Amino acid sequence: MLKIQFKDGRGQPVALVAPGCTIGKGAINDIVIDENGVSGFHADIKVEANNVTVTDVETKTGTQLNGELLSGPTMLHEGDVIMIQGVELEIINEEIGANAKTLVLSGTAVQESSGGWRLIADSGPEKGQQIPVNELIEIGRALECDISILEPALSRKHAELEPLDGGLVVRDLGSANGTFVNAEKVDEQVLKDKDVLQFSKVKFIVKAP
């Protein structure tokens, strides 16, 4: 899988999956470069099937690819280097093996269960793993999420779970491919014991206190 990352090691690599990602100074971008001369939306990366292209968004300072200023949409390949106002981003190919972890847990998701709501992984190498949900947690492809799911079909910030009034609520965060409960697409729903919560191919069984 092609990913883009800062050459200086800041931040986490971003997977280049459809529909793509944006680079710019504004916090709404997938890749934020907070430097003088960088536009709010500076460059756009589009992913369509196996084609990945980068385009400068008519900026004053331009976007370079391998030392050349972009003049239009240009194909990206492993090893290419994008430079914006002196900041270099490289394209890498990082395959996820068949036996690699699907879930990366952080924050509240690594706490020991205290008898509250839990998710039980029902797919992948982590099948059977129990994840406590003691407070609001985010789920998505981004590694900064409490539950990071390494599946290209997930949005960076895909959904959130919140224990509320004795129940557990799941909210979709405007994801591209949706959040499903018992195979039904939902925007927000109160979960019940034994519900099947699904993000792309990854399934969890909901366990009530």
Side-chain angles (χ1 to χ4, degrees), residues 98-99 120 126 148 163:
N99 296 319
I120 302 174
E126 298 85 6
S148 177

Side-chain angles (χ1 to χ4, degrees), residues 19 28 35 54-55 58 63 81 85 99 105 129 137 140 151-152 159 176 182 189 191:
I28 196 171
E35 301 283 348
V54 60
T55 306
E58 298 182 359
T63 300
V81 176
Q85 290 300 94
N99 296 319
L105 307 182
Q129 180 173 350
I137 63 173
E151 284 286 341
N182 301 327
Q189 184 159 319
L191 298 170

Side-chain angles (χ1 to χ4, degrees), residues 22 53 72 126 153 184:
T22 58
T53 59
E126 298 85 6
E184 296 289 334

Side-chain angles (χ1 to χ4, degrees), residues 112-174:
E112 292 295 327
S113 176
S114 59
W117 287 91
R118 287 167 287 159
L119 298 182
I120 302 174
D122 195 46
S123 58
E126 298 85 6
K127 186 170 182 176
Q129 180 173 350
Q130 297 194 23
I131 305 166
V133 186
N134 300 318
E135 59 186 62
L136 179 70
I137 63 173
E138 286 186 332
I139 300 170
R141 198 179 73 244
L143 288 176
E144 62 264 29
C145 290
D146 299 293
I147 302 177
S148 177
I149 301 178
L150 305 182
E151 284 286 341
L154 265 74
S155 298
R156 287 178 56 75
K157 298 289 181 74
H158 195 102
E160 64 182 17
L161 287 166
E162 183 179 18
L164 197 64
D165 298 328
L168 182 64
V169 177
V170 62
R171 301 184 189 93
D172 186 85
L173 297 177

Side-chain angles (χ1 to χ4, degrees), residues 38-54:
V38 179
S39 300
F41 285 108
H42 198 101
D44 182 45
I45 295 178
K46 281 189 169 56
V47 180
E48 297 173 326
N50 294 322
N51 295 325
V52 183
T53 59
V54 60

Side-chain angles (χ1 to χ4, degrees), residues 86-126:
V87 177
E88 293 183 316
L89 300 155
E90 61 181 344
I91 307 301
I92 61 171
N93 193 349
E94 188 175 282
E95 294 295 338
I96 298 176
N99 296 319
K101 282 185 172 293
T102 307
L103 308 178
V104 178
L105 307 182
S106 61
T108 60
V110 298
Q111 297 176 3
E112 292 295 327
S113 176
S114 59
W117 287 91
R118 287 167 287 159
L119 298 182
I120 302 174
D122 195 46
S123 58
E126 298 85 6

